[in-house]
PDB file of all heavy atoms in Angstrom:
ATOM      1  N   PHE E  13      36.408 -60.902 -93.781  1.00 89.00           N
ATOM      2  CA  PHE E  13      37.162 -59.859 -93.586  1.00 89.00           C
ATOM      3  C   PHE E  13      38.577 -60.223 -93.107  1.00 89.00           C
ATOM      4  O   PHE E  13      39.642 -59.615 -93.417  1.00 89.00           O
ATOM      5  CB  PHE E  13      36.604 -58.863 -92.545  1.00 89.00           C
ATOM      6  CG  PHE E  13      37.410 -57.729 -92.152  1.00 89.00           C
ATOM      7  CD1 PHE E  13      37.569 -56.632 -93.042  1.00 89.00           C
ATOM      8  CD2 PHE E  13      38.106 -57.698 -90.924  1.00 89.00           C
ATOM      9  CE1 PHE E  13      38.341 -55.581 -92.693  1.00 89.00           C
ATOM     10  CE2 PHE E  13      38.883 -56.590 -90.535  1.00 89.00           C
ATOM     11  CZ  PHE E  13      39.018 -55.573 -91.500  1.00 89.00           C
ATOM     12  N   ILE E  14      38.658 -61.157 -92.185  1.00 88.00           N
ATOM     13  CA  ILE E  14      40.000 -61.650 -91.554  1.00 88.00           C
ATOM     14  C   ILE E  14      40.847 -62.327 -92.720  1.00 88.00           C
ATOM     15  O   ILE E  14      42.020 -61.999 -92.869  1.00 88.00           O
ATOM     16  CB  ILE E  14      39.666 -62.702 -90.440  1.00 88.00           C
ATOM     17  CG1 ILE E  14      39.116 -61.840 -89.246  1.00 88.00           C
ATOM     18  CG2 ILE E  14      41.020 -63.246 -90.012  1.00 88.00           C
ATOM     19  CD1 ILE E  14      38.768 -62.745 -88.122  1.00 88.00           C
ATOM     20  N   VAL E  15      40.213 -63.067 -93.549  1.00 89.00           N
ATOM     21  CA  VAL E  15      40.940 -63.739 -94.675  1.00 89.00           C
ATOM     22  C   VAL E  15      41.410 -62.620 -95.709  1.00 89.00           C
ATOM     23  O   VAL E  15      42.517 -62.764 -96.102  1.00 89.00           O
ATOM     24  CB  VAL E  15      40.074 -64.688 -95.450  1.00 89.00           C
ATOM     25  CG1 VAL E  15      40.607 -65.118 -96.676  1.00 89.00           C
ATOM     26  CG2 VAL E  15      39.775 -65.931 -94.478  1.00 89.00           C
ATOM     27  N   PHE E  16      40.565 -61.632 -95.913  1.00 88.00           N
ATOM     28  CA  PHE E  16      40.946 -60.560 -96.824  1.00 88.00           C
ATOM     29  C   PHE E  16      42.039 -59.747 -96.228  1.00 88.00           C
ATOM     30  O   PHE E  16      42.994 -59.303 -96.905  1.00 88.00           O
ATOM     31  CB  PHE E  16      39.699 -59.666 -97.028  1.00 88.00           C
ATOM     32  CG  PHE E  16      40.033 -58.519 -97.889  1.00 88.00           C
ATOM     33  CD1 PHE E  16      40.150 -58.542 -99.276  1.00 88.00           C
ATOM     34  CD2 PHE E  16      40.124 -57.181 -97.275  1.00 88.00           C
ATOM     35  CE1 PHE E  16      40.410 -57.416-100.029  1.00 88.00           C
ATOM     36  CE2 PHE E  16      40.331 -56.120 -98.056  1.00 88.00           C
ATOM     37  CZ  PHE E  16      40.618 -56.118 -99.495  1.00 88.00           C
ATOM     38  N   ALA E  17      41.994 -59.400 -94.942  1.00 87.00           N
ATOM     39  CA  ALA E  17      43.071 -58.639 -94.290  1.00 87.00           C
ATOM     40  C   ALA E  17      44.408 -59.455 -94.334  1.00 87.00           C
ATOM     41  O   ALA E  17      45.407 -58.809 -94.587  1.00 87.00           O
ATOM     42  CB  ALA E  17      42.679 -58.299 -92.817  1.00 87.00           C
ATOM     43  N   ILE E  18      44.371 -60.697 -93.967  1.00 87.00           N
ATOM     44  CA  ILE E  18      45.650 -61.475 -94.022  1.00 87.00           C
ATOM     45  C   ILE E  18      46.100 -61.529 -95.456  1.00 87.00           C
ATOM     46  O   ILE E  18      47.344 -61.454 -95.753  1.00 87.00           O
ATOM     47  CB  ILE E  18      45.319 -62.951 -93.486  1.00 87.00           C
ATOM     48  CG1 ILE E  18      45.069 -62.847 -92.055  1.00 87.00           C
ATOM     49  CG2 ILE E  18      46.386 -63.887 -93.835  1.00 87.00           C
ATOM     50  CD1 ILE E  18      44.619 -64.131 -91.388  1.00 87.00           C
ATOM     51  N   TRP E  19      45.220 -61.794 -96.449  1.00 85.00           N
ATOM     52  CA  TRP E  19      45.659 -61.754 -97.924  1.00 85.00           C
ATOM     53  C   TRP E  19      46.280 -60.475 -98.282  1.00 85.00           C
ATOM     54  O   TRP E  19      47.383 -60.401 -98.840  1.00 85.00           O
ATOM     55  CB  TRP E  19      44.434 -62.059 -98.673  1.00 85.00           C
ATOM     56  CG  TRP E  19      44.790 -62.064-100.215  1.00 85.00           C
ATOM     57  CD1 TRP E  19      44.684 -60.999-101.094  1.00 85.00           C
ATOM     58  CD2 TRP E  19      45.196 -63.193-100.861  1.00 85.00           C
ATOM     59  NE1 TRP E  19      45.082 -61.472-102.325  1.00 85.00           N
ATOM     60  CE2 TRP E  19      45.389 -62.776-102.264  1.00 85.00           C
ATOM     61  CE3 TRP E  19      45.436 -64.478-100.630  1.00 85.00           C
ATOM     62  CZ2 TRP E  19      45.807 -63.671-103.274  1.00 85.00           C
ATOM     63  CZ3 TRP E  19      45.839 -65.283-101.641  1.00 85.00           C
ATOM     64  CH2 TRP E  19      46.007 -64.873-102.930  1.00 85.00           C
ATOM     65  N   MET E  20      45.764 -59.380 -97.919  1.00 82.00           N
ATOM     66  CA  MET E  20      46.290 -58.132 -98.296  1.00 82.00           C
ATOM     67  C   MET E  20      47.536 -57.704 -97.558  1.00 82.00           C
ATOM     68  O   MET E  20      48.406 -56.984 -98.153  1.00 82.00           O
ATOM     69  CB  MET E  20      45.226 -56.899 -98.021  1.00 82.00           C
ATOM     70  CG  MET E  20      44.019 -57.013 -99.002  1.00 82.00           C
ATOM     71  SD  MET E  20      44.489 -56.988-100.799  1.00 82.00           S
ATOM     72  CE  MET E  20      44.989 -55.302-100.942  1.00 82.00           C
ATOM     73  N   LEU E  21      47.587 -58.050 -96.398  1.00 80.00           N
ATOM     74  CA  LEU E  21      48.873 -57.685 -95.650  1.00 80.00           C
ATOM     75  C   LEU E  21      50.104 -58.618 -95.953  1.00 80.00           C
ATOM     76  O   LEU E  21      51.217 -58.140 -95.887  1.00 80.00           O
ATOM     77  CB  LEU E  21      48.570 -57.802 -94.074  1.00 80.00           C
ATOM     78  CG  LEU E  21      47.702 -56.717 -93.634  1.00 80.00           C
ATOM     79  CD1 LEU E  21      47.374 -56.868 -92.087  1.00 80.00           C
ATOM     80  CD2 LEU E  21      48.258 -55.349 -93.689  1.00 80.00           C
TER      81      LEU E  21
END
Side-chain angles (χ1 to χ4, degrees):
F13 177 74
I14 291 172
V15 169
F16 177 75
I18 291 172
W19 179 269
M20 291 305 292
L21 290 175

